[in-house]
C-alpha cells in the first residue's frame, strides 16, 4: 500500500503530540498560529519549498481577522471555543521533529499575542484593511509564506532564536544556504530549472498533480521576474527576459 502524502492536518496532529509530551494545553486560537509559524519556519530552515512543504500545503491558510487560519483544522476543533483542546488525534511525524523546540516555546505564548505577531507579517498586514472590513482576500499562497519567512525581520529573528536553540535536527537541515542567499547567488534561469526539475520528479512519482506543478512553475517565474525588476535580487532587467 502506497504511503499517503503528508497533509496540513498532519501538522496539527504533530503539534498536539508535542503539546501532550510537554504537558502543555493548547487552544484553537493558539493552534492556528502555531501551525502557520511552524509551517513557515520549516521553509525558513530548509531554505526552499521542499517536498514536505509542497505536500503539507494541501489546504491553504486563510487571512482572517486574528491572523492566518487553517479552516480544515479550525472547524474540526471549534467546539472547544476558547478552552484547551482535550480530544484530539496525536501523532508525531519524525520529518517535523526539527520544529519541536519552536512549537514547545510557542505553546507558552497567549493565543492573542500569537495572533498579533502573525498580523505584523507582510502577508497579513498588506491586506489588513481589506480583511478587517470583511472584503474577500485570497488565501495565502506558498510564495506569500516563503517571502514572509525569508526576510530578516524582528519576528524572524525571534523565531530563529527560539526555534534553533539546541536543536540538532535543525542544524542538520541548515547545512544548505538559506533561501535569500541562494536566490542572490543563483542565476534566475538556474533557479527556474532547479525548481522545474524537482517538480517533474514529483510528477513522475505521482506525488504531485501536473496542474499543480505547472501552477508552481508559473508562480516561480512571475515571482522571480518581479523580484529582479524591483532590484531585490542581483541582476539586471535584461537577465529576466
Amino acid at each position: 500500500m502506497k504511503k499517503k502524502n503528508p497533509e496540513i492536518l498532519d501538522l496539527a496532529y504533530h503539534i498536539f503530540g508535542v503539546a501532550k509530551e510537554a504537558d502543555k494545553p493548547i487552544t484553537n486560537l493558539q493552534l492556528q498560529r502555531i501551525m502557520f509559524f511552524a509551517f513557515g519556519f520549516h521553509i525558513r530552515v530548509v531554505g526552499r519549498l521542499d517536498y514536505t512543504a509542497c505536500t503539507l500545503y494541501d489546504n491553504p491558510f486563510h487571512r482572517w481577522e486574528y491572523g492566518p487560519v487553517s479552516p480544515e483544522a479550525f472547524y474540526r476543533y471549534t467546539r472547544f471555543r476558547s478552552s484547551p483542546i482535550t480530544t484530539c488525534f496525536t501523532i508525531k511525524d519524525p520529518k517535523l521533529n526539527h520544529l519541536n523546540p519552536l512549537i514547545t516555546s510557542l505553546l507558552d505564548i497567549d493565543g492573542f499575542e500569537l495572533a498579533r505577531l502573525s498580523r505584523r507579517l507582510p502577508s497579513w498586514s498588506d491586506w489588513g484593511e481589506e480583511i478587517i472590513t470583511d472584503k474577500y482576500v485570497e488565501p495565502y499562497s506558498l510564495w506569500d509564506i516563503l517571502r514572509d519567512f525569508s526576510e530578516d525581520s524582528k519576528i524572524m529573528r525571534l523565531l530563529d532564536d527560539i526555534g534553533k536553540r539546541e536543536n540538532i535536527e535543525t542544524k542538520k537541515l541548515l547545512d544548505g544556504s538559506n533561501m535569500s542567499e541562494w536566490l542572490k547567488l543563483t542565476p534566475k534561469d538556474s533557479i527556474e530549472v532547479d525548481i522545474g526539475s524537482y517538480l517533474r520528479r514529483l510528477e513522475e512519482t505521482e506525488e504531485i498533480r501536473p496542474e499543480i506543478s505547472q501552477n508552481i512553475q508559473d508562480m516561480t517565474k512571475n515571482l522571480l521576474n518581479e523580484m529582479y525588476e524591483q532590484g531585490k535580487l542581483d541582476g539586471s532587467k535584461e537577465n529576466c527576459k
Side-chain angles (χ1 to χ4, degrees):
M1 182 176 178
K2 187 176 179 179
K3 186 178 179 181
K4 81 175 185 69
N5 291 327
E7 301 171 352
I8 198 67
L9 278 177
D10 292 323
L11 177 58
Y13 300 150
H14 182 84
I15 292 170
F16 287 139
V18 174
K20 182 178 181 180
E21 192 173 86
D23 195 26
K24 295 184 177 184
I26 180 171
T27 65
N28 205 356
L29 184 62
Q30 285 178 300
L31 174 65
Q32 301 307 313
R33 260 49 75 180
I34 293 176
M35 287 178 67
F36 183 79
F37 281 126
F39 182 78
F41 189 69
H42 169 80
I43 295 174
R44 183 172 179 82
V45 166
V46 300
R48 63 190 185 279
L49 295 174
D50 65 346
Y51 169 79
T52 297
C54 290
T55 54
L56 269 178
Y57 208 57
D58 62 323
N59 285 290
F61 290 100
H62 288 232
R63 304 173 220 254
W64 287 13
E65 182 178 357
Y66 289 101
V69 168
S70 168
E72 187 174 9
F74 177 81
Y75 289 116
R76 179 167 294 220
Y77 303 107
T78 191
R79 67 185 184 278
F80 292 100
R81 303 176 73 84
S82 60
S83 300
I85 298 170
T86 55
T87 306
C88 55
F89 184 68
T90 63
I91 182 169
K92 291 178 66 179
D93 187 336
K95 296 190 295 296
L96 302 177
N97 281 342
H98 58 287
L99 302 174
N100 293 356
L102 176 71
I103 293 170
T104 302
S105 296
L106 293 179
L107 286 166
D108 291 328
I109 302 177
D110 176 76
F112 288 101
E113 176 62 18
L114 291 174
R116 188 183 68 81
L117 288 173
S118 70
R119 290 186 296 179
R120 287 171 56 188
L121 296 174
S123 59
W124 194 95
S125 62
D126 288 350
W127 297 93
E129 185 175 344
E130 288 84 353
I131 295 169
I132 62 177
T133 55
D134 205 25
K135 294 180 181 177
Y136 175 76
V137 178
E138 291 186 353
Y140 289 82
S141 70
L142 280 170
W143 300 108
D144 290 329
I145 301 172
L146 184 151
R147 281 183 282 192
D148 274 346
F149 287 82
S150 294
E151 294 184 353
D152 181 26
S153 63
K154 289 183 179 179
I155 297 177
M156 292 302 111
R157 289 195 289 274
L158 170 65
L159 294 180
D160 285 341
D161 182 50
I162 64 177
K164 296 177 184 176
R165 189 183 305 140
E166 301 299 325
N167 189 345
I168 296 175
E169 294 286 343
T170 297
K171 289 176 182 177
K172 291 179 182 177
L173 289 171
L174 288 174
D175 288 339
S177 59
N178 64 39
M179 172 58 78
S180 59
E181 290 303 312
W182 177 66
L183 286 173
K184 287 180 180 179
L185 298 174
T186 307
K188 169 181 166 291
D189 290 344
S190 297
I191 297 173
E192 291 183 24
V193 170
D194 288 346
I195 293 177
S197 299
Y198 175 70
L199 291 170
R200 281 193 292 277
R201 289 199 300 272
L202 294 182
E203 285 183 46
E204 290 171 359
T205 56
E206 299 182 348
E207 294 170 350
I208 190 172
R209 296 196 301 274
E211 59 269 26
I212 295 179
S213 173
Q214 187 58 54
N215 286 341
I216 293 175
Q217 291 183 70
D218 290 343
M219 286 190 293
T220 300
K221 186 174 182 178
N222 292 336
L223 174 64
L224 292 174
N225 278 331
E226 176 186 329
M227 296 177 79
Y228 273 94
E229 288 281 348
Q230 295 176 358
K232 294 181 179 179
L233 300 174
D234 293 338
S236 64
K237 291 184 179 180
E238 285 72 22
N239 293 332
C240 300
K241 297 178 180 177

